[in-house]
Amino acid sequence: MNTPDDATHRERMAALLKFTSTSLATDYPSPFGASIYDLQSGEFVAQAYDTVIERCDPTDHAEMNAVRLATRKLRRLSLAGHILYSTCEPCPMCMSACIWAELDVVVFGASTLEDANRYWPQASDLTPEELAGRMRRSPKCVVVPHVERSGCQALFARCDQARRDRRLELPPHR
Ligand SMILES: Nc1nc2[nH]cnc2c(=O)[nH]1
Protein backbone atom coordinates (compact mmCIF):
# COMPACT_ATOMS: atom_id res chain seq x y z
CA MET A 1 0.00 0.00 0.00
CA ASN A 2 1.30 3.42 -0.99
CA THR A 3 0.50 5.46 2.17
CA PRO A 4 0.91 9.22 1.69
CA ASP A 5 3.34 11.10 3.93
CA ASP A 6 2.34 13.63 6.61
CA ALA A 7 2.83 16.60 4.28
CA THR A 8 0.43 15.05 1.75
CA HIS A 9 -2.12 14.39 4.50
CA ARG A 10 -1.89 18.04 5.61
CA GLU A 11 -2.14 19.33 2.03
CA ARG A 12 -5.26 17.26 1.33
CA MET A 13 -6.87 18.22 4.62
CA ALA A 14 -6.17 21.90 3.87
CA ALA A 15 -7.87 21.47 0.47
CA LEU A 16 -10.80 19.75 2.20
CA LEU A 17 -11.09 22.57 4.74
CA LYS A 18 -11.19 25.08 1.88
CA PHE A 19 -13.92 23.10 0.13
CA THR A 20 -15.97 22.51 3.30
CA SER A 21 -15.82 26.19 4.27
CA THR A 22 -17.73 27.03 1.05
CA SER A 23 -20.77 25.49 2.77
CA LEU A 24 -20.79 28.45 5.18
CA ALA A 25 -22.14 30.66 2.40
CA THR A 26 -24.98 28.26 1.59
CA ASP A 27 -28.40 27.96 3.25
CA TYR A 28 -27.11 24.90 5.14
CA PRO A 29 -23.70 25.69 6.65
CA SER A 30 -21.86 22.57 7.84
CA PRO A 31 -18.34 22.02 9.23
CA PHE A 32 -18.31 18.37 8.15
CA GLY A 33 -16.53 17.55 4.89
CA ALA A 34 -14.93 14.42 3.44
CA SER A 35 -12.76 13.62 0.42
CA ILE A 36 -11.44 10.46 -1.21
CA TYR A 37 -8.19 9.86 -3.14
CA ASP A 38 -6.68 6.91 -4.99
CA LEU A 39 -3.75 5.63 -2.88
CA GLN A 40 -1.63 4.47 -5.79
CA SER A 41 -1.97 7.37 -8.21
CA GLY A 42 -2.81 10.10 -5.68
CA GLU A 43 -5.71 11.07 -7.91
CA PHE A 44 -8.64 12.93 -6.34
CA VAL A 45 -11.90 10.94 -6.61
CA ALA A 46 -14.70 12.74 -4.74
CA GLN A 47 -15.60 15.21 -1.99
CA ALA A 48 -18.80 16.15 -0.20
CA TYR A 49 -20.20 17.91 2.80
CA ASP A 50 -22.81 16.88 5.30
CA THR A 51 -26.33 17.37 3.89
CA VAL A 52 -28.30 16.06 6.91
CA ILE A 53 -30.38 19.21 7.36
CA GLU A 54 -30.64 20.14 3.69
CA ARG A 55 -31.99 16.72 2.69
CA CYS A 56 -33.60 15.90 6.05
CA ASP A 57 -31.69 12.62 6.19
CA PRO A 58 -29.79 11.61 9.34
CA THR A 59 -27.53 9.32 7.28
CA ASP A 60 -26.29 12.11 4.99
CA HIS A 61 -23.02 12.67 6.83
CA ALA A 62 -20.09 13.99 4.79
CA GLU A 63 -18.28 10.64 4.83
CA MET A 64 -21.40 8.76 3.66
CA ASN A 65 -21.92 11.28 0.85
CA ALA A 66 -18.27 11.04 -0.25
CA VAL A 67 -18.37 7.22 -0.27
CA ARG A 68 -21.60 7.27 -2.32
CA LEU A 69 -20.15 9.76 -4.81
CA ALA A 70 -16.92 7.77 -5.16
CA THR A 71 -18.53 4.34 -5.66
CA ARG A 72 -20.99 5.74 -8.19
CA LYS A 73 -18.23 7.59 -10.05
CA LEU A 74 -15.98 4.52 -10.18
CA ARG A 75 -18.93 2.16 -10.79
CA ARG A 76 -17.70 -0.29 -8.13
CA LEU A 77 -18.73 -1.28 -4.60
CA SER A 78 -15.19 -1.54 -3.26
CA LEU A 79 -13.00 1.47 -2.56
CA ALA A 80 -10.02 -0.77 -1.75
CA GLY A 81 -6.88 1.14 -2.65
CA HIS A 82 -8.42 4.45 -1.56
CA ILE A 83 -8.06 6.84 1.37
CA LEU A 84 -10.75 9.01 2.96
CA TYR A 85 -10.17 12.37 4.69
CA SER A 86 -12.74 13.86 7.05
CA THR A 87 -12.75 17.18 8.89
CA CYS A 88 -14.13 15.27 11.89
CA GLU A 89 -13.64 11.86 13.48
CA PRO A 90 -16.11 9.53 11.72
CA CYS A 91 -19.12 8.39 13.74
CA PRO A 92 -19.84 4.61 13.94
CA MET A 93 -22.26 4.80 10.98
CA CYS A 94 -19.63 6.49 8.77
CA MET A 95 -16.76 4.30 9.95
CA SER A 96 -18.89 1.22 9.25
CA ALA A 97 -19.57 2.57 5.75
CA CYS A 98 -15.80 3.06 5.26
CA ILE A 99 -15.26 -0.55 6.37
CA TRP A 100 -18.04 -1.87 4.11
CA ALA A 101 -16.54 0.14 1.25
CA GLU A 102 -13.12 -1.43 1.99
CA LEU A 103 -11.27 1.88 2.29
CA ASP A 104 -7.66 1.26 3.34
CA VAL A 105 -7.07 4.44 5.34
CA VAL A 106 -9.25 7.01 7.13
CA VAL A 107 -7.69 10.34 8.15
CA PHE A 108 -9.55 12.84 10.33
CA GLY A 109 -9.00 16.32 11.79
CA ALA A 110 -11.24 17.29 14.71
CA SER A 111 -12.11 14.95 17.54
CA THR A 112 -15.80 14.04 17.93
CA LEU A 113 -16.23 14.41 21.68
CA GLU A 114 -13.50 16.96 22.43
CA ASP A 115 -14.07 19.31 19.47
CA ALA A 116 -17.30 18.73 17.47
CA ASN A 117 -19.58 17.96 20.39
CA ARG A 118 -19.39 21.55 21.67
CA TYR A 119 -21.18 22.76 18.57
CA TRP A 120 -22.88 19.71 17.20
CA PRO A 121 -23.87 17.06 19.77
CA GLN A 122 -22.73 13.61 18.74
CA ALA A 123 -24.78 10.42 19.13
CA SER A 124 -22.15 7.90 20.21
CA ASP A 125 -18.70 7.53 21.74
CA LEU A 126 -17.62 4.41 19.86
CA THR A 127 -14.33 5.38 18.19
CA PRO A 128 -13.29 4.59 14.59
CA GLU A 129 -10.20 2.81 15.96
CA GLU A 130 -12.43 0.51 18.06
CA LEU A 131 -14.58 -0.31 15.03
CA ALA A 132 -11.55 -0.90 12.79
CA GLY A 133 -10.15 -3.19 15.49
CA ARG A 134 -13.24 -5.39 15.17
CA MET A 135 -12.88 -5.82 11.39
CA ARG A 136 -12.88 -9.37 10.07
CA ARG A 137 -10.96 -8.41 6.91
CA SER A 138 -7.20 -8.13 6.94
CA PRO A 139 -5.37 -5.80 6.70
CA LYS A 140 -7.68 -3.68 8.85
CA CYS A 141 -8.48 -0.09 7.90
CA VAL A 142 -5.80 2.28 9.29
CA VAL A 143 -7.07 5.34 11.19
CA VAL A 144 -4.88 8.48 11.24
CA PRO A 145 -6.18 11.02 13.81
CA HIS A 146 -5.85 14.78 14.21
CA VAL A 147 -4.38 15.94 10.89
CA GLU A 148 -4.79 19.76 10.76
CA ARG A 149 -6.86 19.48 13.94
CA SER A 150 -6.63 23.19 14.78
CA GLY A 151 -7.83 24.18 11.28
CA CYS A 152 -10.78 21.80 11.67
CA GLN A 153 -11.54 23.15 15.16
CA ALA A 154 -11.48 26.68 13.69
CA LEU A 155 -13.95 25.63 10.96
CA PHE A 156 -16.36 24.31 13.62
CA ALA A 157 -16.14 27.65 15.44
CA ARG A 158 -16.64 29.65 12.20
CA CYS A 159 -19.62 27.50 11.23
CA ASP A 160 -21.17 27.95 14.66
CA GLN A 161 -20.76 31.74 14.34
CA ALA A 162 -22.27 31.72 10.82
CA ARG A 163 -25.28 29.76 12.10
CA ARG A 164 -25.77 32.13 15.05
CA ASP A 165 -25.39 35.24 12.85
CA ARG A 166 -28.12 33.92 10.59
CA ARG A 167 -30.21 32.51 13.44
CA LEU A 168 -30.14 29.05 11.92
CA GLU A 169 -31.29 26.35 14.31
CA LEU A 170 -30.03 22.79 14.49
CA PRO A 171 -32.84 20.20 14.31
CA PRO A 172 -34.94 20.06 17.53
CA HIS A 173 -33.22 17.01 18.99
CA ARG A 174 -29.79 18.60 18.64
N1 LIG B 1 -18.05 12.76 11.39
C1 LIG B 1 -19.24 13.36 11.21
N2 LIG B 1 -20.03 13.58 12.24
C2 LIG B 1 -21.22 14.20 12.00
N3 LIG B 1 -22.21 14.57 12.84
C3 LIG B 1 -23.18 15.15 12.10
N4 LIG B 1 -22.83 15.16 10.80
C4 LIG B 1 -21.61 14.58 10.71
C5 LIG B 1 -20.74 14.32 9.62
O1 LIG B 1 -21.02 14.62 8.45
N5 LIG B 1 -19.56 13.72 9.93
Side-chain angles (χ1 to χ4, degrees):
M1 185 172 55
N2 186 14
T3 309
D5 58 15
D6 287 354
T8 304
H9 284 332
R10 286 198 299 274
E11 222 171 82
R12 290 175 179 176
M13 191 64 88
L16 177 60
L17 278 167
K18 203 167 168 191
F19 163 74
T20 309
S21 68
T22 62
S23 97
L24 272 49
T26 72
D27 288 342
Y28 304 96
S30 171
F32 299 102
S35 58
I36 294 175
Y37 290 80
D38 186 305
L39 271 173
Q40 204 60 44
S41 66
E43 216 174 291
F44 165 83
V45 178
Q47 64 188 0
Y49 23 79
D50 166 308
T51 49
V52 166
I53 299 174
E54 179 181 358
R55 295 205 291 239
C56 197
D57 184 336
T59 72
D60 265 3
H61 284 192
E63 299 92 325
M64 302 289 284
N65 290 339
V67 165
R68 289 178 181 129
L69 276 176
T71 52
R72 284 174 193 155
K73 178 176 175 179
L74 301 175
R75 307 287 321 149
R76 44 184 262 204
L77 288 172
S78 173
L79 295 176
H82 291 78
I83 180 169
L84 177 139
Y85 292 83
S86 176
T87 56
C88 185
E89 184 176 358
C91 74
M93 169 181 71
C94 294
M95 191 59 199
S96 295
C98 292
I99 291 169
W100 277 106
E102 302 181 342
L103 280 150
D104 288 312
V105 191
V106 166
V107 180
F108 70 84
S111 161
T112 299
L113 293 179
E114 289 164 34
D115 305 326
N117 201 53
R118 287 176 56 198
Y119 306 108
W120 209 290
Q122 296 290 298
S124 163
D125 60 7
L126 184 61
T127 68
E129 289 89 345
E130 283 174 288
L131 265 172
R134 298 290 300 271
M135 283 176 66
R136 304 179 73 187
R137 175 172 56 82
S138 185
K140 297 182 195 303
C141 180
V142 174
V143 179
V144 181
H146 298 151
V147 170
E148 293 292 341
R149 182 179 186 178
S150 58
C152 294
Q153 289 168 326
L155 180 61
F156 271 84
R158 274 179 62 205
C159 184
D160 190 58
Q161 190 60 51
R163 299 188 71 87
R164 278 190 281 122
D165 289 349
R166 290 155 62 189
R167 298 186 201 290
L168 297 173
E169 301 282 341
L170 286 175
H173 61 288
R174 294 287 155 87

